[in-house]
Amino acid sequence: MGRLLAARLGREVGVGFISAATPSVAAAVDDRRAAGATRVAVATYLLAPGQFHSQLEGSGADLVAAPLGDHPLIAEIAVDRYRTMLGA
């Protein structure tokens, strides 16, 4: 996903994880800074505020996007995955 986002944004994208995988979001932020980034933004797949989103806010990034929430495109992705799973 990092490569796909980088291609669409036209800039480097680092990937970090909140739990159960590495690198952590904080480590990914540190890596971007070590690579010379003067400003680091974190976008997320999280749907709602809570513990995981709070961890993002403590990652050291300059900007943290709000959770995705109930955006119509998120619902569209969920429905598409549901239909694919059912073979519909």
Side-chain angles (χ1 to χ4, degrees):
M1 183 55 79
R3 288 188 301 274
L4 179 62
L5 291 171
R8 296 192 93 173
L9 290 169
R11 62 182 55 193
E12 286 195 43
V13 170
V15 175
F17 303 90
I18 293 291
S19 65
T22 57
S24 68
V25 174
V29 169
D30 290 344
D31 289 347
R32 297 292 354 123
R33 292 210 193 279
T38 56
R39 210 166 165 203
V40 178
V42 172
T44 175
Y45 292 108
L46 296 173
L47 295 176
Q51 177 182 353
F52 290 130
H53 196 267
S54 294
Q55 290 178 32
L56 293 177
E57 292 169 345
S59 69
D62 299 295
L63 303 165
V64 176
L68 296 171
D70 61 354
H71 192 284
L73 290 175
I74 300 303
E76 187 176 320
I77 290 168
V79 168
D80 180 63
R81 292 186 69 180
Y82 176 76
R83 287 181 176 150
T84 297
M85 175 186 63
L86 294 176

